[in-house]
Every structure is written in C-alpha cells, then in structure tokens.
Amino acid sequence: MRVPLSWLREYVDLPATETGRDVQAKLISAGLEVETVEQLGADLKGPLVVGQVLTIEELEGFKKPIRFCTVDVGQANGTGEPQEIVCGARNFAVGDKVVVVLPGATLPGGFSIAARKTYGRVSHGMICSSDELGMGEDSTHGIIVLPPETEAGKDAIELLELVDEVLDIAVTANRGDCLSIRGVARETAIAYGLPLRDPALIDVPAPNAYGYPVQVSDPFGCDRFTARTVTGLRPEARSPLWLQRRLQKVGMRPISLAVDITNYVMMELGQPLHAYDRSSVQGTIGVRRAQEGEKLVTLDGVERTLHAEDLVITDERGPIGLAGVMGGANTEIADHGEDAANATTEVVIEAAHFNAISVARTARRHKLLSEASRRFERGVDPAAAAAAAQRTVDLLVLLAGGTAEAGVTEVIAPSAPHTITVPADHPDKVAGVTYGRETVVRRLQEVGCDVYGQDELIVTVPSWRPDLTDPNDLAEEVIRLEGYEDLPATLPKPPAGRGLTARQRLHRRIGRALAGAGYVEALNYPFLGEQVFDQLGLDAGDPVRRVVKLVNPLSDEEPALRTTLLPGLLGALRRNTGRGGHDLALFETGLVFHPREERRAAGHLPVDRRPTDEEIARLNAALPEQPRHAAVVLTGAREQAGWWGKGRPADWADAVEAARTVAHEAGAELVVRKGRYGPWHPGRCAELLVVVNGAERAVGHAGELHPRVVKALGLPERTCAMELDLDVLEEAGDGIPMAPSISSFPVATQDVALVVDKPVPAAEVEDALRAGAGELLESIRLFDVYENAEQLGEGRKSLAYALRFRAPDRTLTVDEASAARDAAVALAGERTGAVLRG
C-alpha cells in the first residue's frame, strides 16, 4: 500500500518537521512493515512552468515527425518573449496549456536541460510528458495537456505536486484496514497520540423506497449492498490534476472521471466500489451464485466461464460482474473520448460488502487478482459502505456537475457486533509485563473498541477490524501499541534433557562410520514416482510397489512416499556424474513408508487442549509404517591411482563391506549369501540376513546393479548399491558394540587354498571354514581368487584363505592349529564340495 505523506496529513495534524522517515519509524514501532519511503521530486529542480502553445511549425525532411513550437511561459524566462522549443510529440495543439522545463532545470534522473541545436533549430527547453517528470502512468502516454484555465507561467512543480514522500507499506493478510489512507491515518494518529479526522464520518441520508431496485439472493455472500444514482454528468468533464496525481502516487493509472473517483474513494476509505452505466443496466440489480457454465466478459475483455460457487452481480439479462473482483464489460462506463454523444451521463454506484472467502476463491479460480479482491479477501469495513457511496456521489456532483437522485438503496443482512470477553490482566500474562487495566482499556479504545467491565473486560470489536477474534488478538494490540521494543528479553528455561535415545545414538554412529569409510551423505526428498519401480526391475507383486500417495504432492511426477532409498540416491548420483563427478560414494539414512494392511482415516486433533493419549494413539495407528533404512551407492574408483599403484574400481564387494560396517555399529552379525533381487545383477547380488530370536531374517541386499537398470536410470557402468533395514538390524544387535579383547599370546596363521565349482559363493565356503575351525579361530580372510582351466579343470576356481588361530590362555601348538585347520577344511568339503588345491 503506497501512502503519500501529503494525503496522510489531511487526516492527521503531523508536526511540520516530521519527515517520511520519522513516520516510517513510528509505524514500524506500531507493527506496520513500512518497506521504503520514496522521495518524489528529490532531484527535480526548476524552472518548470506552465506554458501556452502559440504556434506549431511542422519540420520536413526527417525520419519522424518533428514540430517547432513557440510557447508563452509568461515572465518565467525573464523576458516575457515566447520560448522556442523543438518537440516530437503530437498530442497537443495550438492554444493548449502544457508543462515546459526551461534551460537550467534538472529533471528526475539527473537530466539537465540546456539550450541546444537539434533538427536544424535551437530548442530552448522541453515540453514534458508525465514519464519525464516521474509522475507515473497516465492515459495519454504523451505530453501533459493541462486544463484551459491554468495560468501560463505558473510554477508546475507546485501545481502538479511533484515533490512528496510516499510510504510503501507491506500490509499483512490480517490487516485489510491498512489498505486505505483511512486505516494508515488511524495507525499514525495512535502512534503520535493525535486526533484523527475520519473521512468516513460524513452525513449519509437514510435508505428509502425510491432507490435503484436491488435483490440479494445470497445474504451470506453479500451481507450489505448500497446503491446510489447520479444523473446529468457532463460528458466533457475530466479528472482534476489533484485527483490524477493522488491516484498516480498510490500506483494507479487515471482512466476517466467516474472510474477515477471510485478508485480514489477506494484508496481513501478502503471500500471497493463499482460504477455501472445506468443506461446499460436492465432491470433489478441482483446478487446470487452463478449457474454452472454461465459466461461473463469482464472489463479486461476476457470471456470467463463461471463456476457454481462464484458470487455474481446480475440484471435481468444475467451476470454483469464478478462480485468483489471485477465488473462486466456490458455495463462499463463510457468515457467521452472523441465521441461525447455516447458518453455515460448516468451512473449507478455500488458499495457492497462481500464474503472474504468467496471473493478470494473466485479471484484465484479465474486468476483475476484486482485491487478490489485484494481488499475484500483481507477484510473490508462493512459499516463504511454507505459513507463510501456518499463520498462518491459528492465527488461526482462536484467534479462532473451531476445531480444525486434522492433514492437510497441499502440492503443489510441482520448481524450483531463481535464481542470478546477477556481478563483485564490477559495482556500482562502474554507479554510478561504489567500494563495495568487503565493502559489496556486505553489502548483498546484507541484501536476503536468499546470496553466495559473491571476485572473481566467486555470488548466490542470495531467493524473495521475483523481480524480481532479472540483474547490473544486483543493482547497483541495492547503489546504492539505499547511497543515491542519494550518487552523484556528473557530466555526460556527448558527442562533438563536426558540425552539421545539408543536408537538416535545408533543412527549417528552409522552415519559417522560410513563417512569415515569415504561415503558422503546425501539427503533427498522422500517422494517418488511409481514409474521408477519399472526402471528398477521390480516384480509386479513386490511389496515395495505398494505406496502411500499424497493428496497434495509437491510435484505431480512424484506423488508417492518412498518405499526405498535407492531412487533418491541414484538420482543424486546421476546428477553429480552429469556435473563432472566420476568417483562417487554416497549414503543416506532415512525413513521409508509402507501402507498398513488396514487403512484408517486420521482424525482431527483438538487445538484448544493437549490431545489425550488415546487420540494420539488413534492418529499414529492411521499413519503408515515408517522403518528407517540405510543405503549406499558407488561408482568409479574406490581407490585412486597414483604413485602408490594403479588404484581399484568400486565393485560389489565394496557394497557388501558397507553393509558389514553398518551391521558392526549395530552389534549384529551379518550373514551374506548369494541372492537375486530386482535392481541387482543376478550374479553379483548378495542377500543380507541377520538372526533375530533364533531365526534368520532378510535385512537387505548389496551388489552391482543390473545393466538394464543402469541404462534405464542413466547411470555409469558397474554402479553398485546396498540397502539395509536398520530397525531389523537394531533388533538383531546387542546394543553398543564391544571393543575386541586383545590376547597377549601369539597368533598361529594357517593358509588354505580350496578348489570349488565356480558357482559356489566364497561366502558359503567362508561360513563352512568358520564353523569347522571352532572357537580357536580369531579371523578369516579371503586373499586370492584364481581361475585356470588347465590347472584346476573346467568350471573350477581356487579360493585362498588366511586363517588366524589364537587361544586366550595359552600359546597354541602347531598340532592344535593344524587340527583346527583340518577340521575347517573337512567341513568346507562336506558342505561345498571344496578340496585342497595341490
């Protein structure tokens, strides 16, 4: 909302020394957000005067029309002689009064004026347009042509009110009263402790039976409708300069007298108005809901198909306007222009109060945001409708020579003023400051409230403040007017915490362990599109395909909550490789969402009290299951090449090792077996299991992604991935992992090379060796895989393991270590068909 300081002073007697910056500081202290103070004409320097065009000579031989003019500027040039000026504009004629800037002046933007030779003549000054003077938009887009009665030689800076200060206020959605000069003037008067001259306090005639007929069929959508009629408007009447300038300063473009007056009163009082050409309105004006599919051409020339919830203004033909948003073209005021015979000479003035929600929905439904809808949806003073209509009538009579008809129409739906009961010390409790009853009552009365009572105050809210609905709103009014800056700064005293839960500590340990292993955490949105399941190669009946869909998704392409972390992580991997990254290792821990077997509707929790445990339990029962997962993705080099060696690319074994790292932090023993699932390569996929309550449970998979998945998702070749269910892993673990015990006795190392069929997984051989070696086995490590058909036979491979044996209480003998090794080899041979090589 733009508020000229000169206009504001009409309603509040501000000290003459107060500047726009001073008013800005006061209003900010009172809670209004004054963003800027624009200094109009700050760099403008005269002489800038009124001139009368005496002669116009058309200059020939140039690419564009050029005119050489002589202009009478009175004694402003010091000689009284006509001023010679070259001008290219063509919207003025001999005898017109124009604005002339003389040599030595400076226009906005630092543009200095001097006599100069141009188009073969010397131009002593310039005839000005509104743009050149920084006045804003007008309807001419050319030279300013002043009224004929304007005196030549008069100072145009004062005449056009070019020097002023304009406050630009960001009005919040609950303060519709401040979208008017009246509302801002009220806040200014309160801030300075000065009286307000309320422009709405004017004499208004009582309604009678002679006014224009109006029928309101929807009193909920329109609870007040005032109609007044003015006849005998002069077709040649135009908006005076003061009215045009005020509209320009508040950011509106002057159009025609009748329209300018309705806009002026709207900016002054905050009440949107509409003027209908009486000759175009047929029959009774009505207010009703639109019929589905009805058509209306609005003032912007667009034909709109109406919705059944749209509130419309009608006559006997049908809709003639969208209530509170925009009028219809079929009753538009006709400006005289060049055809005075068809100009509007009789108007019907509408000043109504429409339901805020209805107007807001209509404006958004039709993508038609107007100055009127902006005010109605934030709250308009219903009691100001009659005063606004009277103010419009008075200006039309004064400026257009019209005659106000005696008929006054006012349709009002019965309503009672809003009353709030509040303890007198409620603002004290909210602010933590003792204001006292007298201060509370005084501040509420300044806002416009009627206040009665002692310890319990009965407060009647003024009609212009529909945002005051409960005791806290009243407390806020007292606090802001007393000054937010005076509130004491006190820190809250939170109760002593009990630290992180065991689950939180586990998740943090897992994150640190993966980061320590060279992975970078990537946080992704928990949404996905169901087409990604096809790209991942999941079976039609896979439980991961069952998703929870959002009612209002951020993106229509990702309307479901994720059931796996892989799509988000692989998308992050793809983006990074597309930006030049090659060697990547990413991880994420987060929730996934699975719908429950029994679908339940979530109830609404109360807001006036703490929900009961039963209500919270019912709400939780309606939520989807939300286990926490951990996942990693890898591509490129796992170990960089350099002077130390060739490096190594990431492969399936790194994904499995990441799973072991996570399981170690949970204190769980991970069982790794050959697997086959969805996105992973069938020959390079490991199924990950843990033992829970004596039974094995799958917790995830790891390995290299299938080439088809890699191609479908646009990933680098040989991309690897792993995903684990942390909740199951936590259930299988034994809490915080214990540090290993260190034996003081020496270790005995035994190496074995076993030949097995190629399809036999190394993990199965390792499990057999571990089980056969017994308690003396400290660790086992696969250090070599060898394949040679000539030496080993077709379809055979050699797996070499290093077995470390140690006893906690003695030094092992060679026989004990060898016996344990032989037992391990024997069990491996029994389970996997392994034989010692060579």
Side-chain angles (χ1 to χ4, degrees), residues 651-653 752-763 765-766 781-789 791-792 795-802 837:
D651 61 16
W652 61 268
V752 294
L754 302 177
V755 178
V756 296
D757 294 336
K758 282 185 179 181
V760 176
V765 178
E766 180 179 324
R781 180 174 62 88
L782 174 69
F783 65 86
D784 183 55
V785 179
Y786 177 70
E787 296 180 7
N788 188 311
Q791 296 184 15
L792 304 177
R796 305 279 280 175
K797 63 182 178 182
S798 171
L799 303 176
Y801 293 90
R837 179 181 168 188

Side-chain angles (χ1 to χ4, degrees), residues 105 414 546 606 656 730 778 835:
R546 296 182 63 243
V656 174
E730 181 181 8
E778 182 179 82
V835 296

Side-chain angles (χ1 to χ4, degrees), residues 740-751:
S741 58
I742 306 299
S743 173
S744 59
F745 296 96
V747 64
T749 302
Q750 298 275 351
D751 293 344

Side-chain angles (χ1 to χ4, degrees), residues 365-406:
R365 187 180 298 119
H366 295 282
K367 297 180 174 61
L368 188 60
L369 303 182
S370 63
E371 290 289 343
S373 68
R374 185 178 175 221
R375 284 161 175 78
F376 276 123
E377 66 186 39
R378 285 165 171 78
V380 169
D381 181 5
Q390 182 63 44
R391 179 79 166 126
T392 305
V393 169
D394 292 344
L395 288 173
L396 284 171
V397 171
L398 175 67
L399 302 178
T403 301
E405 288 195 350

Side-chain angles (χ1 to χ4, degrees), residues 519 566 569-570 573 584-586 631-636 638 648-656 658 679-681 684 701-706 710 715-723:
Y519 291 85
L566 289 184
L569 268 181
L570 294 174
L573 185 78
L584 300 170
L586 308 178
V632 304
V633 293
L634 309 93
T635 190
R638 185 63 179 143
R648 180 179 64 80
D651 61 16
W652 61 268
D654 294 300
V656 174
W680 281 276
H681 192 295
R684 303 187 180 107
H701 293 82
E704 182 181 317
L705 295 182
H706 198 289
V710 168
L715 302 172
E717 294 182 358
R718 313 303 291 268
T719 297
C720 300
M722 177 277 294
E723 184 167 10

Side-chain angles (χ1 to χ4, degrees), residues 619-644:
L619 179 64
N620 288 333
L623 297 177
E625 296 179 0
Q626 303 176 46
R628 182 172 290 272
H629 282 201
V632 304
V633 293
L634 309 93
T635 190
R638 185 63 179 143
E639 296 177 3
Q640 294 292 333
W643 55 265
W644 53 84

Side-chain angles (χ1 to χ4, degrees), residues 158-181:
E158 180 181 352
L159 176 68
L160 298 177
E161 301 178 13
L162 297 178
V163 178
D164 203 349
E165 294 181 278
V166 179
L167 285 70
D168 193 353
I169 304 176
V171 179
T172 54
N174 65 319
R175 292 302 304 271
D177 61 305
C178 288
L179 287 173
S180 66
I181 304 297

Side-chain angles (χ1 to χ4, degrees), residues 4 90 94 110 149 162 165 254 349 410 421 442 461 464 670 681:
R90 309 191 64 78
V94 172
E149 64 273 13
L162 297 178
E165 294 181 278
I349 304 300
E410 194 164 36
T421 301
R442 174 172 56 85
V461 175
W464 57 82
L670 197 66
H681 192 295

